[in-house]
Amino acid sequence: MSAPYFTLPEFKYVKPQTLEEALKILAENAGEAKILNGGIGVLGFMKERMIEAKILVDIKGIKELKKIEYMPGKGLVVGATVTANELLQYLEKNPEIKKKFCALYESTSELADAILRNRATIIGNILEGLPYTDAPGPAILFEAEVKAVSTRGERVLPVEGLVLGPMMTSLEPDEIVTEILYKEPPAGARTGYVKFNPGLEYGYVNVAALVANPDNPQKRDVRIVITSATTLPFRPKAAEEVFKQDIPFEKAAELAAKKIEEEIEPLSDPYASAEYRRYLASTLTYKLLIKLARGE
Ligand SMILES: Cc1cc2nc3c(=O)[nH]c(=O)nc-3n(C[C@H](O)[C@H](O)[C@H](O)COP(=O)(O)OP(=O)(O)OC[C@H]3O[C@@H](n4cnc5c(N)ncnc54)[C@H](O)[C@@H]3O)c2cc1C
């Protein structure tokens, strides 16, 4: 008899080669079938008996899901089965696109380790719904949308609000996310990502930020997304609003950091207390914003 935990329960494995075939299997087995992408999250959660699936539908054989395409003015489309390393390689080969989506590049470089990045997909990382993962921050920063397809048709959903908790999303059980669109940032915007993770792979606090026109309050655009500090990604809208005031950027960044400190409701766990995360969220955001505004 095998041990109850850390061994996989029995399940049926299927690997359709077309999207239609995969959608049909999901529609016929709604609630019993789950999608297997890189598999790191889904297999781990099944081993720990935190989720159940009678059928795992491996979508990696569906060729059309392995696409990366930049559409000038619209944004960057990343297919559902694109791994972290494939995205990094694409961005390294296309320095202009990498520059535009710098926060995406930096966060993907920080995602787990080189071996896991060969397997982990960007979409799987977002849909896994763990507070500590690296892909959700830049997705929300670039106001990304996913395309969700089922036998009933397709719909487009913003990434912000898509995840409800670990392994919980607002997707229907028979829907496949086929791609994610990272929207084109404003002209001249600088973006970046910081991950504070001494001695760990996951971050205690991760911050993604975008700064455009820092010296012109009328045209300034500042976006901030904090992850790993709270259960779900935190977009401190009150802190972003501060940058609309007619005050120097550095002053606005100070006020924004204070707003974050007041408004964030951080997690407390054995790695970091809520107070430490509050301090990190505010300080890391301030430093990142100043760095982006100065073009360092
Ligand atoms: C030792 C270790 C260290 C790690 N460190 C980090 C780290 O530092 N940073 C970090 O971000 N992550 C880290 N992770 C987590 C890892 O990166 C994620 O588990 C992985 O990215 C999930 O992607 P996946 O492709 O394996 O998804 P899967 O496990 O295949 O899927 C995850 C979930 O999404 C669903 N799903 C997947 N694709 C689709 C789709 N196209 N449509 C609909 N539903 C879909 C699945 O059904 C499942 O519910 C670590 C994991 C381990 C084991």
Side-chain angles (χ1 to χ4, degrees):
M1 206 172 88
S2 58
Y5 298 105
F6 304 113
T7 54
L8 275 168
E10 295 230 338
F11 62 88
K12 188 175 165 194
Y13 169 82
V14 288
K15 191 170 183 186
Q17 300 298 306
T18 65
L19 186 59
E20 290 64 35
E21 211 187 319
L23 292 174
K24 190 164 172 271
I25 298 168
L26 286 172
E28 285 168 357
N29 298 279
E32 306 228 299
K34 285 209 186 305
I35 293 167
L36 177 86
N37 207 339
I40 300 167
V42 78
L43 295 176
F45 277 87
M46 279 175 73
K47 280 183 180 175
E48 292 177 28
R49 306 300 192 266
M50 290 169 81
I51 56 166
E52 283 179 11
K54 293 219 163 71
I55 305 173
L56 284 185
V57 184
D58 187 343
I59 57 171
K60 290 190 292 295
I62 305 170
K63 287 197 181 66
E64 69 209 76
L65 302 185
K66 189 64 104 184
K67 76 164 179 189
I68 309 183
E69 187 185 355
Y70 173 63
M71 294 183 286
K74 194 165 180 222
L76 180 67
V77 175
V78 177
T81 59
V82 171
T83 64
N85 267 348
E86 286 164 347
L87 178 60
L88 287 175
Q89 282 158 15
Y90 172 87
L91 293 173
E92 279 159 11
K93 276 192 205 138
N94 295 279
E96 283 308 310
I97 304 172
K98 178 182 160 196
K99 199 171 156 198
K100 270 184 200 288
F101 294 94
C102 188
L104 175 62
Y105 178 79
E106 290 177 349
S107 74
T108 309
S109 325
E110 296 270 4
L111 192 154
D113 58 37
I115 296 170
L116 286 171
R117 286 196 289 273
N118 266 335
R119 190 83 192 168
T121 63
I122 298 297
I123 293 292
N125 190 275
I126 292 172
L127 298 179
E128 188 176 84
L130 291 180
Y132 316 107
T133 45
D134 287 288
I140 295 170
L141 191 77
F142 291 110
E143 299 177 335
E145 292 172 342
V146 295
K147 195 190 273 184
V149 182
S150 70
T151 50
R152 287 166 282 112
E154 67 177 52
R155 55 189 188 134
V156 171
L157 303 164
V159 171
E160 191 166 9
L162 181 67
V163 166
L164 308 174
M167 289 288 175
M168 279 187 291
T169 67
S170 55
L171 293 168
E172 297 297 332
D174 62 344
E175 281 180 316
I176 297 180
V177 168
T178 54
E179 63 187 41
I180 177 167
L181 166 71
Y182 294 87
K183 290 195 190 150
E184 181 92 4
R190 294 195 192 100
T191 68
Y193 185 77
V194 283
K195 175 172 180 174
F196 187 86
N197 61 333
L200 268 189
E201 268 172 352
Y202 288 115
Y204 297 2
V205 173
N206 308 325
V207 183
L210 174 151
V211 173
N213 303 307
D215 301 324
N216 182 346
Q218 274 77 46
K219 289 191 174 167
R220 248 185 225 154
D221 191 351
V222 172
R223 299 182 204 160
I224 305 160
V225 187
I226 300 171
T227 50
S228 219
T230 45
T231 316
L232 294 172
F234 175 54
R235 182 138 185 215
K237 294 267 165 71
E240 292 179 352
E241 282 295 308
V242 168
F243 292 91
K244 295 192 175 142
Q245 294 176 33
D246 193 359
I247 51 176
F249 188 89
E250 298 211 356
K251 181 72 199 157
E254 258 175 50
L255 295 176
K258 279 210 183 75
K259 287 248 177 261
I260 290 170
E261 227 172 291
E262 284 159 19
E263 288 183 6
I264 196 164
E265 290 179 18
L267 292 164
S268 194
D269 60 27
Y271 299 113
S273 66
E275 272 324 288
Y276 188 36
R277 282 201 167 93
R278 185 187 309 283
Y279 166 78
L280 286 174
S282 152
T283 316
L284 295 175
T285 305
Y286 175 79
K287 285 188 174 172
L288 178 59
L289 291 173
I290 295 294
K291 182 177 151 207
L292 294 173
R294 289 182 184 158
E296 290 166 355

